[in-house]
Amino acid sequence: MEINPTAKTLAEQGVTDAAGVVRLFDDVKRQFGAELEAKQSVSQWEELRNAWIGRKSGALTRITENWLKPSPPELKRAVGQALNELKAHVEAALEERRAAIQAAADQAALAREREDLSLSGVVRPLGSRHPLRQTFEEIERIFLSLGYSVVAGPEMETPYYNFEALNIPEHHPARDNMDTFYMAGPFAEGAQGKPGASPLLLRTHTSPMQVRTMEKQQPPVRIIVRGKVYRRDNPDATHGFIFHQIEGLAVDTDITFCDFKGTVEYFVREFLGPKVKTRLRPSYFPFTEPSVEVDATCVFCGGKGCNVCKQSGWIELFGAGMVDPAVYGFVNYDPKKYSGFAFGLGVERLTQLKYNINDLQLYFQNDVRFLRQFA
Ligand code: DAH
């Protein structure tokens, strides 16, 4: 076949019958097939498309112009038919190749952009909540469900809030139980000029927030106070110079000892389990009257008597009582109109009882072998 048979008419190529026409078209079709075979990229494909079906100078246009139009009448039909077939073939083959090239390009792009999800990522070791935090959250959950709100207050406190306003005057023996860390200075603004003014101290309990809360708001008051407290103690299995408390305070127009007892019993059952019984034992705190220690049946022996409860069947849980009217005097509440109760929970102690932990220091040593047991 000549280099470019489409440039010449049939007569010029010596084709005079239908068989010659078929042969000629077969040649052209083979040539197209060979060229198509060689084209792999989108741009090569576009070139090929223009060369074959481009309107102005494509091979099919040339065939129309050079073969079909000038062909003798007896061959027109054969040429027209063969041209139509060739056209359909070329278009279909071009479209098929275009789809194949596109698919291959998509595949390549996918392969290039693929994220290997089987690669292991950065492993971040997950910690767990500290047992003390778990106790805080559990206690807060219980009191929130009773309509209490949670407040926090300053760890650096004035003697006024830590002692005086809680009915613990300067030389009261109750101050002896609470070996106190005093700051070298400065004097608290609020303490200056107040009776017994002295430098700031680290609060020895969360009770000062009772006074701070009542100063700010009128009854009804239902709060729990969460936080750290400090005392000058030598660290051992049952002592530390820092520990955690949750204080509770409820004041309203007709709160009775029954409300107090009911709340305490509900809390203990929720926290330690439904089988645990409580008992109230007379005690003394300057800011409550009457004051009690709340005991629970021993969680370890169920009340039968064991080493932990020293064979008594009971363990001491926390101190509490009805708010002493003297405290209302410091916050301008009318003691004839209002009454309430308060309690002070040791978070370390309650955690120890719940999980049978025998050494207070474990909480603060950050030993993962200990902490992991609470994950
Ligand atoms: N503040 C007391 C302490 O740290 C605990 C306490 C006892 C708090 C009785 C109270 C309470 O609110 O009513 O030892």
Side-chain angles (χ1 to χ4, degrees), residues 178 204-205 207 210 231 245 247-248 285 287-288 319-321 342-344:
M178 297 192 183
T204 58
H205 50 180
S207 307
Q210 290 189 24
R231 292 185 198 177
Q245 286 190 336
E247 188 84 12
F285 299 100
F287 37 90
T288 45
F343 51 87

Side-chain angles (χ1 to χ4, degrees), residues 281-293 320-322:
R281 205 158 28 83
S283 183
Y284 171 77
F285 299 100
F287 37 90
T288 45
E289 180 59 34
S291 300
V292 299
E293 291 290 343
M322 300 301 286

Side-chain angles (χ1 to χ4, degrees), residues 57-341:
S57 56
L60 294 186
T61 303
R62 281 199 312 274
I63 290 175
T64 307
E65 293 300 321
N66 299 333
W67 296 1
L68 181 64
K69 286 190 180 165
S71 66
E74 69 276 13
L75 283 185
K76 248 208 175 101
R77 197 185 143 83
V79 176
Q81 199 179 337
L83 178 57
N84 281 342
E85 275 167 21
L86 178 65
K87 194 171 176 224
H89 171 76
V90 166
E91 280 172 354
L94 277 173
E95 174 52 27
E96 194 183 311
R97 172 49 58 96
R98 192 203 57 76
I101 290 174
Q102 185 64 55
D106 287 352
Q107 278 297 323
L110 259 185
R112 223 176 17 252
E113 290 156 23
R114 167 161 295 137
E115 299 273 358
D116 184 352
L117 297 180
S118 70
L119 266 184
S120 49
V122 181
V123 178
R124 282 173 216 282
L126 263 198
S128 60
R129 288 172 307 150
H130 192 279
L132 292 179
R133 174 160 300 281
Q134 293 186 34
T135 301
F136 266 118
E137 287 174 3
E138 172 71 0
I139 294 173
E140 284 168 17
R141 183 191 65 76
I142 295 168
F143 281 103
L144 284 171
S145 78
L146 290 173
Y148 286 66
S149 40
V150 183
V151 300
E155 289 173 21
M156 255 211 255
E157 212 16 308
T158 66
Y160 175 76
Y161 287 113
N162 198 76
F163 294 125
E164 266 98 62
L166 287 165
N167 202 28
I168 315 175
E170 176 103 55
H171 297 292
H172 195 284
R175 290 206 188 187
D176 299 345
N177 302 336
M178 297 192 183
D179 289 316
T180 308
F181 289 112
Y182 286 94
M183 301 287 135
F187 282 74
E189 232 177 77
Q192 209 113 42
K194 296 223 174 170
S198 62
L200 287 176
L201 49 80
L202 290 179
R203 68 178 176 194
T204 58
H205 50 180
T206 43
S207 307
M209 275 308 285
Q210 290 189 24
V211 180
R212 285 183 179 275
T213 305
M214 288 190 285
E215 268 183 354
K216 281 213 203 85
Q217 90 181 69
Q218 285 296 306
V221 170
R222 276 181 187 76
I223 53 152
I224 55 173
V225 186
R226 56 176 306 167
K228 291 192 192 78
V229 301
Y230 304 83
R231 292 185 198 177
R232 282 181 48 194
D233 256 327
N234 291 320
D236 66 22
T238 52
H239 296 85
F241 49 81
I242 176 173
F243 56 100
H244 300 81
Q245 286 190 336
I246 290 188
E247 188 84 12
L249 176 69
V251 182
D252 208 339
T253 42
D254 45 18
I255 289 189
T256 67
F257 198 84
C258 294
D259 299 312
F260 166 55
K261 194 162 181 274
T263 304
V264 161
E265 281 175 0
Y266 175 78
F267 163 69
V268 172
R269 270 202 312 274
E270 281 288 300
F271 186 73
L272 289 178
K275 289 213 194 84
V276 172
K277 291 194 186 65
T278 47
R279 94 180 162 185
L280 304 181
R281 205 158 28 83
S283 183
Y284 171 77
F285 299 100
F287 37 90
T288 45
E289 180 59 34
S291 300
V292 299
E293 291 290 343
V294 179
D295 293 347
T297 44
C298 179
V299 283
F300 302 112
C301 63
K304 284 193 206 77
C306 67
N307 281 344
V308 179
C309 62
K310 303 203 180 78
Q311 310 305 330
S312 73
W314 293 93
I315 13 186
E316 187 182 314
L317 287 186
F318 57 90
M322 300 301 286
V323 176
D324 192 309
V327 175
Y328 295 135
F330 286 95
V331 295
N332 293 323
Y333 277 15
D334 182 354
K336 290 204 192 69
K337 205 165 146 200
Y338 297 121
S339 56
F341 58 83

